[in-house]
Amino acid sequence: MPGAYLRVVEPGGIRACDPVEIVHGPDHNVTVALVFGATTLESDLLPRLQGADVPIEETWELVRRRTTT
C-alpha cells in the first residue's frame, strides 16, 4: 500500500515507541493512496485531486482529461 516517505535528519538509534515528529504536512487531505486509487481503478475520485499540489504533470493531464465535460 502506498504511503509517506521519511528521511533521516540525524543518524542514531531508534526504538519502538520513540516519538516521531511531523515537520511538514500538506494543507489538504489528498494522500498518496488517494492519488493511486484515483489514477488507477477509482476514477470517480479524480475531482478530489484538484485542490492538491500533486507534483506529477502526467497525473494532472489525466485529471483534466477525465474531469472535463
Side-chain angles (χ1 to χ4, degrees), residues 1-2 11 13 15 18 21 25 29 33 35 40 42-47 51 54 57-58 61 64 69:
M1 183 161 209
R15 297 178 307 217
D18 280 353
E21 178 185 358
N29 64 350
V35 174
T40 56
E42 302 174 77
S43 61
D44 56 310
L45 298 175
L46 283 168
V54 178
E57 183 56 37
E58 292 83 11
E61 183 56 34
R64 284 190 283 275
T69 56

Side-chain angles (χ1 to χ4, degrees), residues 20-39:
V20 175
E21 178 185 358
I22 299 173
V23 239
H24 171 72
D27 58 353
H28 55 74
N29 64 350
V30 175
T31 64
V32 173
L34 176 64
V35 174
F36 181 78
T39 57

